[in-house]
Amino acid sequence: MNLLSCFTPFLLATLSRAVVGPGVVTGDTAVHDPTMCKDDTGMYFVFSTGVGIEIRTSPDRTAWTYRGMVWPNGASWTDPYTGTSNGALWAPDCTYLNGQFYLYYAASTFGSQNSAIFFAKSSTGLPGSFVNEGLVASISPGNNYNAIDPNLLIDGSNWYLSLGSFWTGIKLEILSSSTGKPSSSAVTSLAQRTANNGAIEASTIYKFGNFYYLFSSWDLCCQGTSSTYNIRVGRSTSPTGGYVDQAGVSLLNGGGTLVLGSHDNIIGPGGQDIMTDVDGPILVYHYYTPSGSFLGINRLDFSSGWPVVV
């Protein structure tokens, strides 16, 4: 009997289920809710949740150095939302365009709807260089969604901001490209869950080919190795709605195709961002180990029409 022929189906099934681990990164990679962009010199920047918003840079997307904070002198305008002086600021989103860093970020406390999103700009991305452009969105108890986890999509001349966490899910606002702030009071629903207390957040909209892909993080973050975060996706031909998962289930009805979940020693991947680099779309996220939360970076392959981690 050919033993190899007996085991080949098992091996193939095992290999088909294998999940690619994060790419190699070195240096200071202890981050949460990372967002990455690249300036005209080829320098990579990662901004992440923390007091003042943490900044790390890398010349090669591998070796990372902590550089300081976006707001080294504090951000007093966020205190009414963090409930403390110079509290942690959440889930920044970076876009580099025409020599400028555009940074959106949130201020809140866990489980609260006393939340706000702010906007800042810088020509260098370095600590202390950012200019406060002010409030973008705020809500209070009584609203049916939450104003955290912002993500900017620039699609030609159109600017969109997705946001939201728990409650009634992921929302979309249309921004003015001249101010970076909402051009109307309209708020559109993009995705919602009822399972697990409606645990969906950290939206990212990424255009590839003829589709807009809405990524989100499901379930629970911030519990260390007990975290259950996982990254899901749906797609649409329009950025403003109609997103469905690979099975055709609307994201407004709890749909979402798994992109990356816990595997091996990688626990609770989520808080993701996506950028385009010379080697294609790049997925950036955090994950947990017993030592803390760390930076994960992988390429995404869209050749099937759906993102696959490679």
Side-chain angles (χ1 to χ4, degrees), residues 18-25 34 36 61-62 64 206 215 231 259-261 263-264 266 269-270 272-277 279-287 294-302 307-310:
V19 179
V20 177
V24 175
V25 292
M36 185 164 68
R61 214 175 70 200
T62 299
W64 292 93
Y206 182 76
F215 294 78
I231 301 172
V259 176
L260 184 63
H263 63 95
D264 305 310
I266 306 302
Q272 71 287 328
D273 186 29
I274 301 168
M275 67 163 287
T276 302
D277 207 353
D279 53 345
I282 305 299
L283 176 67
V284 185
Y285 56 96
H286 71 251
Y287 64 90
F294 295 94
L295 176 65
I297 299 176
N298 287 90
R299 291 188 301 109
L300 289 176
D301 179 4
F302 283 82
V308 176
V309 173
V310 295

Short mmCIF file of all heavy atoms in Angstrom, two decimals, residues 18-25 34 36 61-62 64 206 215 231 259-261 263-264 266 269-270 272-277 279-287 294-302 307-310:
data_model
loop_
_atom_site.label_atom_id
_atom_site.label_comp_id
_atom_site.label_asym_id
_atom_site.label_seq_id
_atom_site.Cartn_x
_atom_site.Cartn_y
_atom_site.Cartn_z
N ALA A 18 -4.84 25.79 6.72
CA ALA A 18 -3.75 26.51 7.38
C ALA A 18 -3.95 28.01 7.22
O ALA A 18 -4.39 28.50 6.18
CB ALA A 18 -2.41 26.10 6.79
N VAL A 19 -3.65 28.75 8.28
CA VAL A 19 -3.78 30.20 8.26
C VAL A 19 -2.40 30.81 8.28
O VAL A 19 -1.54 30.42 9.10
CB VAL A 19 -4.59 30.70 9.47
CG1 VAL A 19 -4.71 32.22 9.45
CG2 VAL A 19 -5.98 30.06 9.46
N VAL A 20 -2.17 31.75 7.40
CA VAL A 20 -0.86 32.40 7.33
C VAL A 20 -0.68 33.30 8.54
O VAL A 20 -1.57 34.09 8.88
CB VAL A 20 -0.74 33.22 6.03
CG1 VAL A 20 0.59 33.96 5.99
CG2 VAL A 20 -0.88 32.30 4.83
N GLY A 21 0.45 33.19 9.20
CA GLY A 21 0.73 34.03 10.35
C GLY A 21 1.16 35.43 9.94
O GLY A 21 1.36 35.72 8.75
N PRO A 22 1.28 36.33 10.91
CA PRO A 22 1.72 37.69 10.59
C PRO A 22 3.11 37.70 9.97
O PRO A 22 3.95 36.84 10.29
CB PRO A 22 1.75 38.37 11.98
CG PRO A 22 0.90 37.52 12.86
CD PRO A 22 1.03 36.13 12.34
N GLY A 23 3.36 38.65 9.08
CA GLY A 23 4.69 38.82 8.53
C GLY A 23 5.68 39.23 9.62
O GLY A 23 5.30 39.68 10.70
N VAL A 24 6.95 39.08 9.33
CA VAL A 24 7.99 39.39 10.31
C VAL A 24 8.04 40.89 10.57
O VAL A 24 8.14 41.70 9.63
CB VAL A 24 9.36 38.90 9.82
CG1 VAL A 24 10.46 39.34 10.78
CG2 VAL A 24 9.36 37.38 9.69
N VAL A 25 7.96 41.26 11.84
CA VAL A 25 8.19 42.64 12.26
C VAL A 25 9.12 42.60 13.46
O VAL A 25 9.11 41.65 14.25
CB VAL A 25 6.88 43.39 12.62
CG1 VAL A 25 6.03 43.62 11.38
CG2 VAL A 25 6.08 42.63 13.67
N PRO A 34 -3.93 49.58 15.17
CA PRO A 34 -2.97 50.29 14.33
C PRO A 34 -3.56 50.75 13.00
O PRO A 34 -4.46 50.13 12.44
CB PRO A 34 -1.89 49.23 14.07
CG PRO A 34 -2.65 47.94 14.10
CD PRO A 34 -3.71 48.12 15.17
N MET A 36 -1.81 52.38 9.25
CA MET A 36 -0.50 52.59 8.63
C MET A 36 -0.63 53.42 7.36
O MET A 36 -1.55 53.22 6.56
CB MET A 36 0.15 51.25 8.29
CG MET A 36 1.57 51.37 7.74
SD MET A 36 2.49 49.80 7.77
CE MET A 36 1.58 48.85 6.56
N ARG A 61 8.87 48.64 6.57
CA ARG A 61 7.65 47.96 6.98
C ARG A 61 7.94 46.74 7.85
O ARG A 61 7.05 45.93 8.12
CB ARG A 61 6.82 47.53 5.75
CG ARG A 61 5.30 47.58 5.96
CD ARG A 61 4.55 47.27 4.67
NE ARG A 61 4.66 45.88 4.25
CZ ARG A 61 4.43 45.45 3.03
NH1 ARG A 61 4.11 46.32 2.07
NH2 ARG A 61 4.54 44.17 2.73
N THR A 62 9.17 46.63 8.31
CA THR A 62 9.56 45.49 9.14
C THR A 62 10.09 45.93 10.49
O THR A 62 9.61 45.50 11.54
CB THR A 62 10.62 44.63 8.43
OG1 THR A 62 10.09 44.12 7.21
CG2 THR A 62 11.07 43.47 9.31
N TRP A 64 10.49 48.49 13.41
CA TRP A 64 9.69 49.61 13.88
C TRP A 64 10.31 50.29 15.10
O TRP A 64 10.83 49.63 16.00
CB TRP A 64 8.28 49.13 14.23
CG TRP A 64 7.53 48.72 12.99
CD1 TRP A 64 7.45 47.47 12.46
CD2 TRP A 64 6.82 49.58 12.12
NE1 TRP A 64 6.71 47.50 11.30
CE2 TRP A 64 6.30 48.78 11.07
CE3 TRP A 64 6.54 50.95 12.11
CZ2 TRP A 64 5.54 49.30 10.02
CZ3 TRP A 64 5.77 51.47 11.08
CH2 TRP A 64 5.28 50.65 10.06
N TYR A 206 -12.41 49.59 1.77
CA TYR A 206 -11.27 49.55 0.85
C TYR A 206 -11.77 49.23 -0.55
O TYR A 206 -12.49 48.24 -0.74
CB TYR A 206 -10.27 48.49 1.31
CG TYR A 206 -9.02 48.40 0.48
CD1 TYR A 206 -8.01 49.36 0.60
CD2 TYR A 206 -8.84 47.36 -0.43
CE1 TYR A 206 -6.86 49.29 -0.16
CE2 TYR A 206 -7.68 47.28 -1.20
CZ TYR A 206 -6.70 48.24 -1.06
OH TYR A 206 -5.55 48.17 -1.81
N PHE A 215 -14.63 45.98 5.76
CA PHE A 215 -14.05 45.13 6.79
C PHE A 215 -14.53 45.62 8.15
O PHE A 215 -14.70 46.81 8.37
CB PHE A 215 -12.52 45.19 6.75
CG PHE A 215 -11.89 44.62 5.51
CD1 PHE A 215 -11.87 45.33 4.32
CD2 PHE A 215 -11.29 43.36 5.54
CE1 PHE A 215 -11.28 44.81 3.18
CE2 PHE A 215 -10.70 42.82 4.41
CZ PHE A 215 -10.69 43.55 3.23
N ILE A 231 -11.75 39.27 12.14
CA ILE A 231 -11.94 40.23 11.05
C ILE A 231 -12.88 39.64 10.01
O ILE A 231 -12.67 38.53 9.51
CB ILE A 231 -10.60 40.61 10.42
CG1 ILE A 231 -9.67 41.23 11.47
CG2 ILE A 231 -10.80 41.58 9.25
CD1 ILE A 231 -8.25 41.46 10.99
N VAL A 259 -12.26 36.74 7.46
CA VAL A 259 -10.97 36.99 6.82
C VAL A 259 -9.83 36.46 7.68
O VAL A 259 -8.91 35.81 7.19
CB VAL A 259 -10.77 38.51 6.58
CG1 VAL A 259 -9.39 38.79 5.99
CG2 VAL A 259 -11.86 39.05 5.68
N LEU A 260 -9.90 36.73 8.99
CA LEU A 260 -8.83 36.30 9.88
C LEU A 260 -9.38 36.18 11.30
O LEU A 260 -9.96 37.13 11.83
CB LEU A 260 -7.68 37.31 9.86
CG LEU A 260 -6.43 36.95 10.66
CD1 LEU A 260 -5.78 35.67 10.11
CD2 LEU A 260 -5.43 38.10 10.65
N GLY A 261 -9.20 35.01 11.89
CA GLY A 261 -9.58 34.78 13.28
C GLY A 261 -8.40 34.26 14.07
O GLY A 261 -7.26 34.19 13.57
N HIS A 263 -5.73 31.90 15.59
CA HIS A 263 -5.11 30.68 15.08
C HIS A 263 -3.73 30.55 15.73
O HIS A 263 -3.07 31.53 16.06
CB HIS A 263 -4.98 30.72 13.55
CG HIS A 263 -4.09 31.83 13.05
ND1 HIS A 263 -2.75 31.65 12.78
CD2 HIS A 263 -4.34 33.14 12.81
CE1 HIS A 263 -2.22 32.81 12.37
NE2 HIS A 263 -3.18 33.72 12.38
N ASP A 264 -3.30 29.32 15.91
CA ASP A 264 -1.99 29.06 16.51
C ASP A 264 -1.84 29.89 17.78
O ASP A 264 -2.68 29.83 18.66
CB ASP A 264 -0.88 29.32 15.48
CG ASP A 264 -1.10 28.51 14.20
OD1 ASP A 264 -1.32 27.29 14.32
OD2 ASP A 264 -1.11 29.09 13.10
N ILE A 266 -1.81 33.22 17.75
CA ILE A 266 -2.32 34.54 17.39
C ILE A 266 -3.76 34.63 17.87
O ILE A 266 -4.65 33.97 17.33
CB ILE A 266 -2.24 34.78 15.87
CG1 ILE A 266 -0.83 34.53 15.35
CG2 ILE A 266 -2.73 36.18 15.52
CD1 ILE A 266 0.23 35.39 15.99
N PRO A 269 -7.26 38.65 16.47
CA PRO A 269 -6.83 39.68 15.51
C PRO A 269 -7.97 40.62 15.16
O PRO A 269 -9.11 40.18 14.96
CB PRO A 269 -6.38 38.87 14.30
CG PRO A 269 -7.17 37.58 14.38
CD PRO A 269 -7.30 37.31 15.85
N GLY A 270 -7.69 41.92 15.11
CA GLY A 270 -8.72 42.89 14.77
C GLY A 270 -8.20 44.31 14.87
O GLY A 270 -6.99 44.54 14.89
N GLN A 272 -8.42 46.50 12.55
CA GLN A 272 -7.64 46.48 11.31
C GLN A 272 -7.70 47.78 10.51
O GLN A 272 -8.61 48.59 10.64
CB GLN A 272 -8.11 45.34 10.42
CG GLN A 272 -9.48 45.51 9.80
CD GLN A 272 -10.60 45.35 10.79
OE1 GLN A 272 -10.50 44.59 11.75
NE2 GLN A 272 -11.68 46.07 10.57
N ASP A 273 -6.69 47.90 9.66
CA ASP A 273 -6.64 48.95 8.64
C ASP A 273 -6.09 48.30 7.39
O ASP A 273 -5.45 47.24 7.45
CB ASP A 273 -5.74 50.10 9.11
CG ASP A 273 -5.75 51.29 8.15
OD1 ASP A 273 -6.77 51.50 7.47
OD2 ASP A 273 -4.73 52.00 8.08
N ILE A 274 -6.31 48.93 6.24
CA ILE A 274 -5.78 48.42 4.97
C ILE A 274 -5.18 49.57 4.20
O ILE A 274 -5.77 50.65 4.11
CB ILE A 274 -6.88 47.74 4.15
CG1 ILE A 274 -7.47 46.57 4.94
CG2 ILE A 274 -6.32 47.22 2.82
CD1 ILE A 274 -8.72 46.02 4.35
N MET A 275 -3.99 49.35 3.68
CA MET A 275 -3.34 50.35 2.83
C MET A 275 -2.83 49.67 1.57
O MET A 275 -2.67 48.45 1.53
CB MET A 275 -2.19 51.03 3.56
CG MET A 275 -1.02 50.12 3.87
SD MET A 275 0.51 51.01 4.28
CE MET A 275 0.99 51.65 2.68
N THR A 276 -2.60 50.47 0.54
CA THR A 276 -2.04 49.96 -0.71
C THR A 276 -0.56 50.28 -0.74
O THR A 276 -0.16 51.43 -0.56
CB THR A 276 -2.73 50.59 -1.92
OG1 THR A 276 -4.14 50.32 -1.84
CG2 THR A 276 -2.18 50.02 -3.21
N ASP A 277 0.26 49.27 -0.96
CA ASP A 277 1.70 49.46 -1.06
C ASP A 277 2.18 48.93 -2.42
O ASP A 277 1.37 48.45 -3.22
CB ASP A 277 2.40 48.74 0.10
CG ASP A 277 3.74 49.39 0.46
OD1 ASP A 277 4.19 50.30 -0.26
OD2 ASP A 277 4.35 48.98 1.47
N ASP A 279 3.58 46.27 -3.16
CA ASP A 279 3.32 44.85 -3.34
C ASP A 279 1.84 44.51 -3.15
O ASP A 279 1.49 43.36 -2.95
CB ASP A 279 4.19 44.00 -2.42
CG ASP A 279 4.11 44.42 -0.96
OD1 ASP A 279 3.61 45.52 -0.68
OD2 ASP A 279 4.57 43.64 -0.09
N GLY A 280 0.98 45.52 -3.20
CA GLY A 280 -0.45 45.28 -3.18
C GLY A 280 -1.12 45.70 -1.88
O GLY A 280 -0.53 46.42 -1.07
N PRO A 281 -2.36 45.25 -1.66
CA PRO A 281 -3.10 45.62 -0.45
C PRO A 281 -2.46 44.99 0.79
O PRO A 281 -2.10 43.81 0.79
CB PRO A 281 -4.49 45.03 -0.70
CG PRO A 281 -4.57 44.79 -2.17
CD PRO A 281 -3.19 44.46 -2.61
N ILE A 282 -2.36 45.79 1.84
CA ILE A 282 -1.71 45.36 3.08
C ILE A 282 -2.72 45.46 4.23
O ILE A 282 -3.32 46.52 4.46
CB ILE A 282 -0.49 46.23 3.41
CG1 ILE A 282 0.49 46.24 2.23
CG2 ILE A 282 0.19 45.75 4.69
CD1 ILE A 282 1.05 44.88 1.86
N LEU A 283 -2.91 44.35 4.94
CA LEU A 283 -3.76 44.29 6.11
C LEU A 283 -2.91 44.54 7.35
O LEU A 283 -1.90 43.86 7.57
CB LEU A 283 -4.44 42.93 6.20
CG LEU A 283 -5.30 42.65 7.44
CD1 LEU A 283 -6.54 43.54 7.44
CD2 LEU A 283 -5.68 41.18 7.51
N VAL A 284 -3.33 45.51 8.15
CA VAL A 284 -2.63 45.86 9.39
C VAL A 284 -3.61 45.65 10.54
O VAL A 284 -4.77 46.07 10.45
CB VAL A 284 -2.16 47.34 9.35
CG1 VAL A 284 -1.33 47.69 10.57
CG2 VAL A 284 -1.39 47.62 8.08
N TYR A 285 -3.16 45.03 11.62
CA TYR A 285 -4.07 44.72 12.71
C TYR A 285 -3.28 44.50 13.99
O TYR A 285 -2.04 44.49 13.97
CB TYR A 285 -4.89 43.45 12.38
CG TYR A 285 -4.04 42.23 12.05
CD1 TYR A 285 -3.74 41.27 13.01
CD2 TYR A 285 -3.54 42.04 10.76
CE1 TYR A 285 -2.96 40.17 12.71
CE2 TYR A 285 -2.77 40.95 10.44
CZ TYR A 285 -2.47 40.01 11.41
OH TYR A 285 -1.69 38.92 11.10
N HIS A 286 -3.98 44.35 15.10
CA HIS A 286 -3.31 43.92 16.32
C HIS A 286 -3.80 42.52 16.68
O HIS A 286 -4.85 42.07 16.24
CB HIS A 286 -3.56 44.89 17.48
CG HIS A 286 -4.95 44.87 18.03
ND1 HIS A 286 -5.85 45.90 17.84
CD2 HIS A 286 -5.62 43.93 18.74
CE1 HIS A 286 -6.99 45.60 18.43
NE2 HIS A 286 -6.89 44.41 18.99
N TYR A 287 -2.99 41.83 17.46
CA TYR A 287 -3.38 40.53 18.00
C TYR A 287 -2.78 40.40 19.39
O TYR A 287 -1.91 41.20 19.79
CB TYR A 287 -2.90 39.38 17.10
CG TYR A 287 -1.41 39.27 16.98
CD1 TYR A 287 -0.67 38.47 17.87
CD2 TYR A 287 -0.70 39.96 15.99
CE1 TYR A 287 0.72 38.37 17.78
CE2 TYR A 287 0.68 39.86 15.89
CZ TYR A 287 1.38 39.07 16.79
OH TYR A 287 2.74 38.97 16.69
N PHE A 294 0.09 43.17 19.83
CA PHE A 294 1.21 43.41 18.93
C PHE A 294 0.74 43.65 17.50
O PHE A 294 -0.38 43.30 17.11
CB PHE A 294 2.19 42.23 18.99
CG PHE A 294 2.84 42.08 20.33
CD1 PHE A 294 2.30 41.22 21.27
CD2 PHE A 294 3.95 42.83 20.67
CE1 PHE A 294 2.87 41.10 22.53
CE2 PHE A 294 4.52 42.73 21.92
CZ PHE A 294 3.99 41.85 22.86
N LEU A 295 1.64 44.22 16.71
CA LEU A 295 1.37 44.59 15.33
C LEU A 295 1.43 43.37 14.42
O LEU A 295 2.42 42.63 14.40
CB LEU A 295 2.41 45.61 14.87
CG LEU A 295 2.37 46.07 13.42
CD1 LEU A 295 1.08 46.83 13.13
CD2 LEU A 295 3.59 46.96 13.11
N GLY A 296 0.33 43.17 13.67
CA GLY A 296 0.30 42.15 12.63
C GLY A 296 0.21 42.81 11.27
O GLY A 296 -0.54 43.77 11.08
N ILE A 297 0.99 42.31 10.31
CA ILE A 297 0.97 42.82 8.94
C ILE A 297 0.96 41.64 7.99
O ILE A 297 1.79 40.73 8.10
CB ILE A 297 2.20 43.70 8.65
CG1 ILE A 297 2.23 44.92 9.58
CG2 ILE A 297 2.21 44.14 7.19
CD1 ILE A 297 3.47 45.79 9.40
N ASN A 298 0.00 41.63 7.08
CA ASN A 298 -0.06 40.61 6.03
C ASN A 298 -0.49 41.25 4.72
O ASN A 298 -1.19 42.27 4.71
CB ASN A 298 -1.09 39.53 6.37
CG ASN A 298 -0.65 38.59 7.45
OD1 ASN A 298 -0.91 38.84 8.63
ND2 ASN A 298 0.00 37.50 7.07
N ARG A 299 -0.11 40.62 3.63
CA ARG A 299 -0.66 41.01 2.33
C ARG A 299 -2.04 40.37 2.16
O ARG A 299 -2.34 39.35 2.77
CB ARG A 299 0.27 40.57 1.19
CG ARG A 299 1.58 41.34 1.15
CD ARG A 299 2.41 41.03 -0.10
NE ARG A 299 2.72 39.62 -0.21
CZ ARG A 299 2.21 38.77 -1.09
NH1 ARG A 299 1.30 39.21 -1.98
NH2 ARG A 299 2.55 37.51 -1.12
N LEU A 300 -2.85 40.98 1.33
CA LEU A 300 -4.16 40.44 0.97
C LEU A 300 -4.19 40.13 -0.52
O LEU A 300 -3.75 40.93 -1.34
CB LEU A 300 -5.28 41.42 1.31
CG LEU A 300 -5.62 41.65 2.78
CD1 LEU A 300 -6.68 42.73 2.91
CD2 LEU A 300 -6.08 40.36 3.44
N ASP A 301 -4.74 38.97 -0.86
CA ASP A 301 -4.90 38.55 -2.24
C ASP A 301 -6.39 38.62 -2.59
O ASP A 301 -7.21 37.92 -1.99
CB ASP A 301 -4.38 37.12 -2.40
CG ASP A 301 -4.54 36.58 -3.81
OD1 ASP A 301 -4.99 37.33 -4.71
OD2 ASP A 301 -4.21 35.40 -4.02
N PHE A 302 -6.74 39.47 -3.56
CA PHE A 302 -8.13 39.63 -3.98
C PHE A 302 -8.43 38.90 -5.28
O PHE A 302 -9.46 39.17 -5.91
CB PHE A 302 -8.44 41.12 -4.17
CG PHE A 302 -8.66 41.89 -2.90
CD1 PHE A 302 -7.60 42.37 -2.16
CD2 PHE A 302 -9.94 42.16 -2.44
CE1 PHE A 302 -7.79 43.11 -1.00
CE2 PHE A 302 -10.16 42.89 -1.29
CZ PHE A 302 -9.09 43.37 -0.56
N PRO A 307 -11.02 38.94 -0.26
CA PRO A 307 -9.68 39.05 0.32
C PRO A 307 -9.25 37.78 1.05
O PRO A 307 -10.01 37.24 1.86
CB PRO A 307 -9.80 40.23 1.28
CG PRO A 307 -11.25 40.26 1.64
CD PRO A 307 -12.00 39.81 0.41
N VAL A 308 -8.04 37.34 0.76
CA VAL A 308 -7.44 36.18 1.42
C VAL A 308 -6.10 36.61 1.99
O VAL A 308 -5.29 37.24 1.29
CB VAL A 308 -7.26 35.01 0.43
CG1 VAL A 308 -6.54 33.84 1.10
CG2 VAL A 308 -8.60 34.56 -0.12
N VAL A 309 -5.86 36.27 3.25
CA VAL A 309 -4.60 36.62 3.90
C VAL A 309 -3.48 35.75 3.34
O VAL A 309 -3.60 34.52 3.31
CB VAL A 309 -4.71 36.44 5.43
CG1 VAL A 309 -3.37 36.63 6.10
CG2 VAL A 309 -5.74 37.40 6.01
N VAL A 310 -2.40 36.39 2.92
CA VAL A 310 -1.24 35.66 2.38
C VAL A 310 0.05 36.17 3.01
O VAL A 310 0.06 37.17 3.69
CB VAL A 310 -1.16 35.77 0.84
CG1 VAL A 310 -2.34 35.10 0.18
CG2 VAL A 310 -1.10 37.23 0.39
#
